[in-house]
Amino acid sequence: MTLDLTRRSLLKFMGGAAVGSMLSPLPWKLLDDAAIWTQNWSWIARPPRGPVSHKYTTCQLCPIGCGMRARLIGASFVSAWPVAGHPAAGMLCPLGLAAAQMRYHPSRVRGVARRDRTGADPAWRIVDADATIGELGQRLAACRSRGAADSVAIVDLRPGRSMSRLYREFLARQGGGLYVTAPDGWQASAAAFAGLATVAALAPAPDPARARTVLNFGAPLTAGWRGHAITPHAAGGPLLIQVDPAASITAARADRWLPARPGSEAPVALALAHVLVFEALASDARVNALADLPHQNGSTLRMALADFAPERVAEVSGLTPAQLRDTARELAAGRPALVLGVGDAGGGPLGAEEEAAIWNLNLLLGAVGPDGALGVRPADTALFDEPAAPAARSLSDIPDGSLDVLLVDGSFPGAPVSAEQLRRKLRGAGGLLVALSPYAGGAAGTPADVVLPTFAPGEWVDDVPAPALSARASYAWATAVAVPAPFALHPAEWLARLEAASGLVVPVEGGKAGHEAELKRRAGVLQARGSGQVFDPADGNTTDVAAMSDPDMLAGALARGAHWSDKATLTLADRDLRPLGTDGAMAAHWRSLAGGRVEAAHTAGSAGSLVLMAGGGLAPTAGAITAPVLNKLYRESGLQPGSRQLAISATTALAHGLKEGAPALLTTPHGRRRVRVRFDNSLPPDVARLAAGPDPSDMGDPAASPDDRTDIPDLCGAADRPVWRLVRADLQEAHDGNA
Amino acid sequence: METHSKATVAYAMVIDLDKCVGCGTCNVACAIENNVSVPPSEALENRGLTWMRTQRVDNGKAWPDHRTVTVPIPCQHCEHAPCIHVCPVTAVQLDESTGIIGQIPTRCMGCRYCMAACPYHARYFNWFDPTWPEGLQDTLNPDVAPRMRGVAEKCNFCHGRLDRARELAAAEGRPADEPVHYTPACAEACPHGAITFGNRLEEGGPIAALEKKPEAFLLLEALGTAPKVTYLSREPWIRRIGLSRLDRVRGHGDGPEGA
């Protein structure tokens, strides 16, 4: 037999080999390896590797201060998770869950950044840090030498912290600069309550869980108000009556919903007070004891309320007189009752007269005190003996064009402050607005000329005082769980460098050491006070402070993420409360509302086919910087309303010739903004709502035009008026399709 | 002779819509836990990856009678999953020992038949390379591999957490066939306790009890896919969300409130 290599045999061999190889693992292994190989392209992200560990800390992205369990892989802070049973809140909202991403936000600045806002190229540039600090120091020294210390100011967007004390001491050493705060809706509400009491330095501590009946003006109580969702009445919680223009989730789940017109909060509250007083549902003894003016036996209060009969208020509120009377009677019968204001805190504060009217209902219902649902606790300033000078003042107290240097604390990515208002305070083109912030954006970075890069949340130890309207006094530290960025500095270090550059001698305990000393001092104050409990998030146990013999024990616990809290301890007698304010001026304010000019109170001098309501959405404050993953909620799913989505009922939108998703231009007397129409039939006719922030398109993308960049507070006129949550607006289709 | 032991674990989820407020915490927790990437800014809005999607549904009425509900929709992990049968490369598998429908990205060839077959739109396609803003890869979860462009992906009841729970059980010396308890990221993060997760075969367990409640319903039950995600609501109009067009044709949707 000869071996002939023929064409046929070669083909047979090749065919057999191909079929045979298919029966072997070889091709499948190659396919499998190829698939795995394609997972390892160099541009596909690789997760960090290393030992897994956890640290406990406190979220500092909003004032609530929820407990947080940080997961670390090696030294990398990879994710944040809630701490079950934490006294502040056993939950984290999406902002807190994404806290680990805040260190890598695209807006983070990686060196001292500066821009020329008036020049042809307003882009941020990294500049020489020493030269910039030197220039700022010279400006500070010049202000001091010419006796114009009040041309330097610091805006503290989260007062009550250890850094707040350092800011005040810095200003005092500069010769008495201005210390400015910008209260959000909750803080303004707490301040309004304090204005009704003759006792100084106190804070209201409402506790819905202790009430049988809760009347709530717009706050999202069932959706997690201040970290705690209210228990439904059917499950043993209080009877909930919601005053809300929109058919919100809380309104739908409330036991009764009063769909009052936007802006009618104060008349509604005063009508309820009218019924309580004139139907003797609040006893004469109590009304008389609430001595609005000495020796008048409550007559001034009666006169102030006389104009707010339910029949009259019904005309402006859209509610019926029967609804108002029944609600007042229900509150009187369902004591302990609690009345809460604030509404949607993201829309900025309510007016002082509205807050006073709402708090007054609590006074008339006897809610204040240990037997009621409205406790009173010492304000943080009293708890930690904060320096009185320089006194805190609001931005509106500062004359426009008066500041040479305005420092803005940007430790918190969002705050209810108007960028335009901040810029107006500067002395023309010569003034400099300097943000102490990790980001070239947000409340501090957006209006700034210079950004001094500070540590991002999670990179440094900051303290978290009790949030306004918290039911208990509390204190915690947001501890460092991540390696600090090498290009950033502690804000106290920037202050020390500025101080040295201005020619002053920095105190021995200045800079970061000074901040650490203040943190420990506060722990010592609480330990010496000897009351309250400390919650340990690692094991869920609670320890009495009285059992801690050493201040270092409490400081050590706080450094491990513990949370101190204490019940509301102050008691107020009726004689300590003034329904018309300590100066009795509230009667005049209310009288101005009595003419049926409900909307005009907020939108005076403007015309428009719509009432625009500013709201908060998820982001608690305007201009918030949010983690990139949150675009899952805003841009990908549309679950949360962004500041470019105008919620409006289908009927109203169609009446303006606009369909769902249509680009539109929203114009107010204060500005205009491009939006997209989003049908929301929970809103009443001719009312639209715009979230104050964030802008989903700003999650890494620059805005397209000046019309896109108008902040919602500025659009609503926050630079000109303290209450900006309502404004008249016009809406028209945008034909260029770029909304 | 018994050749196969009877399964003792069938993981299932119950979502109480009366507790859900639509905050989106579950969406974010899911994305963080499972390294779900952020699509590039030029991506169309409907090309994102949301393993846990939250759908807003209303009762169709105008203010003041308008009511809305948000419905979190993860993969329903159907007993009779259509996606398994249509996959030409067996990249979708039912794990008989847990009841979890797994997606194997290294097998997936990107035909998207499974996406077309899923009646719940719970599957997503990687139209882009998985990217994160600079530095953000340092926050990825090492228990879950990022997927590549061109493959489908979906909720797997946080399989990385299941693996960790199994490793812990093994380290404690517990038998391999003993059911392990774990909590997916969405259930852990939900601030309102709306999501309950567990073993539906556990007698007296929370899942079995919740699934038997009169307010329980399934999405598109008439299709016969037998989902392992059950929804709860006391509101009749919300319960009608689960009805299919088939149900409505048969007249089951014509309740007094007319959803």
Side-chain angles (χ1 to χ4, degrees):
Chain A
M1 182 178 168
T2 57
L3 183 63
D4 293 328
L5 184 61
T6 62
R7 183 167 170 270
R8 174 180 289 268
S9 63
L10 183 63
L11 289 172
K12 282 167 71 177
F13 173 77
M14 290 173 64
V19 171
S21 66
M22 294 295 282
L23 300 175
S24 79
L26 180 67
W28 313 110
K29 177 65 178 167
L30 284 174
L31 276 175
D32 200 32
D33 283 355
I36 294 171
W37 183 52
T38 60
Q39 277 193 304
N40 290 288
W41 297 113
S42 59
W43 59 83
I44 292 181
R46 296 186 183 190
R49 301 287 173 189
V52 180
S53 60
H54 293 95
K55 283 184 180 176
Y56 291 91
T57 182
T58 306
C59 179
Q60 58 187 131
L61 295 178
C62 91
I64 296 173
C66 302
M68 180 188 284
R69 179 169 55 90
R71 185 174 187 233
L72 287 88
I73 306 297
S76 294
F77 171 28
V78 299
S79 58
W81 299 96
V83 177
H86 194 278
M91 56 168 272
L92 280 180
C93 72
L95 294 174
L97 272 180
Q101 296 195 352
M102 295 300 286
R103 301 175 60 222
Y104 303 104
H105 195 281
S107 296
R108 184 145 196 205
V109 286
R110 296 174 173 271
V112 174
R114 188 161 189 169
R115 65 178 167 184
D116 179 5
R117 299 174 64 93
T118 57
D121 182 9
W124 288 103
R125 297 179 193 288
I126 301 298
V127 296
D128 183 73
D130 291 335
T132 308
I133 290 294
E135 180 195 338
L136 290 170
Q138 286 175 6
R139 281 176 178 254
L140 293 172
C143 293
R144 207 170 56 236
S145 63
R146 69 170 194 266
D150 60 357
S151 61
V152 176
I154 293 181
V155 178
D156 185 357
L157 297 177
R158 196 69 59 84
R161 299 170 297 144
S162 294
M163 271 312 299
S164 306
R165 185 185 189 97
L166 267 60
Y167 287 137
R168 284 179 152 175
E169 290 175 349
F170 171 86
L171 289 167
R173 286 195 293 272
Q174 291 292 335
L178 307 174
Y179 176 72
V180 183
T181 59
D184 63 17
W186 292 314
Q187 291 165 339
S189 180
F193 177 85
L196 301 180
T198 56
V199 179
L202 52 79
D207 188 355
R210 295 181 59 187
R212 274 182 64 203
T213 312
V214 172
L215 174 68
N216 174 41
F217 285 82
L221 277 192
T222 61
W225 185 73
R226 317 255 59 194
H228 295 276
I230 200 167
T231 308
H233 185 49
L239 185 87
L240 177 61
I241 305 169
Q242 179 82 355
V243 182
D244 202 331
S248 63
I249 287 180
T250 301
R253 294 180 182 176
D255 299 287
R256 187 157 311 131
W257 171 38
L258 301 178
R261 284 187 191 136
S264 65
E265 288 91 347
V268 168
L270 292 168
L272 299 175
H274 176 101
V275 177
L276 289 176
V277 170
F278 290 98
E279 291 192 9
L281 298 172
S283 71
D284 281 351
R286 176 173 301 282
V287 175
N288 294 341
L290 293 170
D292 41 300
L293 287 173
H295 314 301
Q296 295 204 6
N297 289 336
S299 59
T300 316
L301 177 62
R302 288 188 173 87
M303 285 168 58
L305 294 176
D307 288 336
F308 294 93
E311 289 72 17
R312 188 165 184 187
V313 170
E315 295 170 14
V316 294
S317 68
L319 304 176
T320 66
Q323 280 178 309
L324 293 166
R325 289 188 190 282
D326 290 348
T327 302
R329 290 166 188 158
E330 203 154 13
L331 284 171
R335 296 184 217 197
L338 177 67
V339 185
L340 291 168
V342 180
D344 187 340
L350 284 170
E353 71 278 6
E354 292 159 310
E355 291 287 2
I358 292 167
W359 285 123
N360 252 315
L361 288 170
N362 290 291
L363 272 50
L364 292 169
L365 290 163
V368 185
D371 298 330
L374 180 55
V376 185
R377 60 183 173 82
D380 292 317
T381 48
L383 198 63
F384 295 116
D385 189 26
E386 285 198 16
R393 60 182 74 203
S394 73
L395 207 52
S396 55
D397 295 339
I398 299 175
D400 289 351
S402 65
L403 298 178
D404 285 316
V405 179
L406 175 56
L407 291 164
V408 184
D409 170 84
S411 307
F412 304 95
V417 63
S418 155
E420 184 184 336
Q421 191 180 18
L422 285 170
R423 296 289 316 173
R424 277 190 197 174
K425 303 302 169 188
L426 296 175
R427 193 188 303 278
L432 265 189
L433 200 156
V434 181
L436 292 159
S437 170
Y439 310 108
T446 299
D449 302 295
V450 177
V451 176
L452 304 179
T454 54
F455 294 143
E459 290 182 342
W460 64 303
V461 185
D462 196 7
D463 45 355
V464 182
L469 305 190
S470 168
R472 295 168 68 88
S474 67
Y475 185 69
W477 289 357
T479 57
V481 294
V483 179
F487 48 78
L489 271 187
H490 195 291
E493 288 294 330
W494 283 122
L495 286 188
R497 290 186 66 177
L498 284 172
E499 200 153 15
S502 73
L504 293 177
V505 178
V506 180
V508 177
E509 281 227 326
K512 186 180 171 189
H515 185 247
E516 288 172 354
E518 174 61 13
L519 288 167
K520 287 189 175 176
R521 187 191 73 81
R522 290 180 168 221
V525 167
L526 295 180
Q527 189 270 339
R529 200 164 173 266
S531 69
Q533 294 87 37
V534 175
F535 172 82
D536 184 346
D539 55 19
N541 291 332
T542 300
T543 308
D544 286 337
V545 174
M548 293 183 161
S549 56
D550 186 345
D552 288 343
M553 285 178 69
L554 182 53
L558 291 170
R560 294 190 299 274
H563 179 271
W564 173 86
S565 65
D566 195 8
K567 60 184 182 296
T569 51
L570 292 182
T571 55
L572 290 178
D574 284 344
R575 65 177 176 277
D576 298 324
L577 298 165
R578 298 282 188 274
L580 300 175
T582 49
D583 56 0
M586 203 50 69
H589 293 306
W590 291 344
R591 215 166 288 132
S592 70
L593 295 174
R597 297 178 295 107
V598 175
E599 283 183 10
H602 294 296
T603 60
S606 60
S609 57
L610 295 172
V611 173
L612 177 66
M613 297 195 298
L618 170 67
T621 49
I625 293 239
T626 51
V629 74
L630 291 198
N631 92 15
K632 300 262 172 236
L633 305 185
Y634 288 90
R635 205 172 66 196
E636 290 181 44
S637 70
L639 186 60
Q640 291 287 338
S643 59
R644 280 201 197 186
Q645 293 165 318
L646 184 77
I648 187 170
S649 74
T651 313
T652 307
L654 293 172
H656 283 77
L658 295 166
K659 297 178 181 174
E660 168 86 45
L665 194 61
L666 185 70
T667 308
T668 73
H670 312 281
R672 59 183 188 170
R673 186 175 176 86
R674 291 171 187 275
V675 293
R676 278 198 185 276
V677 169
R678 171 179 164 144
F679 285 178
D680 185 345
N681 287 331
S682 70
L683 290 168
D686 299 326
V687 172
R689 184 168 53 201
L690 201 55
D695 185 340
S697 303
D698 276 352
M699 293 176 182
D701 306 333
S705 77
D707 287 345
D708 296 322
R709 286 199 286 265
T710 309
D711 282 344
I712 306 305
D714 288 336
L715 183 72
C716 298
D720 301 311
R721 51 198 198 133
V723 182
W724 48 271
R725 53 174 58 203
L726 285 181
V727 68
R728 280 273 174 191
D730 277 315
L731 186 65
Q732 63 189 91
E733 187 172 3
H735 294 287
D736 55 11
N738 289 328
Chain B
M1 188 177 78
E2 186 174 320
T3 54
H4 294 284
S5 60
K6 188 180 176 185
T8 56
V9 181
Y11 291 113
M13 184 176 279
V14 178
I15 302 176
D16 189 340
L17 299 182
D18 293 341
K19 290 182 180 174
C20 178
V21 299
C23 61
T25 307
C26 53
N27 305 41
V28 172
C30 172
I32 288 171
E33 175 70 20
N34 293 297
N35 297 338
V36 179
S37 62
V38 178
S41 56
E42 66 272 20
L44 296 176
E45 290 180 0
N46 59 355
R47 294 201 167 172
L49 304 168
T50 47
W51 289 15
M52 172 65 101
R53 182 176 91 253
T54 305
Q55 194 87 35
R56 193 181 293 274
V57 183
D58 63 51
N59 65 352
K61 297 179 180 176
W63 183 91
D65 299 318
H66 183 81
R67 297 290 181 272
T68 57
V69 65
T70 43
V71 187
I73 307 177
C75 169
Q76 305 285 301
H77 295 276
C78 310
E79 289 285 349
H80 312 297
C83 53
I84 293 179
H85 303 300
V86 299
C87 181
V89 291
T90 59
V92 189
Q93 285 189 334
L94 169 64
D95 181 351
E96 300 280 359
S97 65
T98 60
I100 294 174
I101 306 290
Q103 175 78 22
I104 304 160
T106 49
R107 287 186 191 167
C108 179
M109 61 179 195
C111 69
R112 292 180 280 142
Y113 285 3
C114 56
M115 294 172 67
C118 177
Y120 304 101
H121 300 285
R123 297 181 147 274
Y124 301 90
F125 188 68
N126 281 277
W127 294 95
F128 306 95
D129 281 319
T131 54
W132 286 266
E134 186 185 352
L136 217 63
Q137 62 269 20
D138 286 346
T139 67
L140 297 184
N141 180 4
D143 300 333
V144 181
R147 283 71 55 191
M148 63 291 243
R149 177 170 57 180
V151 301
E153 62 182 59
K154 68 167 195 77
C155 160
N156 54 22
F157 277 167
C158 287
H159 209 284
R161 289 188 170 216
L162 173 60
D163 287 343
R164 287 212 301 272
R166 283 172 165 165
E167 285 171 10
L168 187 65
E172 291 172 351
R174 286 154 52 190
D177 57 350
E178 185 178 296
V180 294
H181 292 276
Y182 77 104
T183 308
C186 56
E188 180 185 357
C190 178
H192 305 288
I195 303 176
T196 308
F197 180 81
N199 178 8
R200 67 174 8 169
L201 301 182
E202 181 184 347
E203 285 188 26
I207 295 293
L210 290 170
E211 286 181 339
K212 287 174 190 161
K213 292 180 90 168
E215 55 261 41
F217 66 98
L218 301 173
L219 291 187
L220 305 180
E221 186 175 7
L223 300 186
T225 54
K228 293 193 197 74
V229 178
T230 303
Y231 294 87
L232 302 178
S233 178
R234 289 184 299 275
E235 299 283 342
W237 76 266
I238 294 177
R239 288 203 295 277
R240 277 193 285 276
I241 291 169
L243 298 177
S244 66
R245 186 167 293 177
L246 190 62
D247 292 309
R248 294 174 194 276
V249 170
R250 287 172 179 167
H252 297 309
D254 299 331
E257 293 185 33

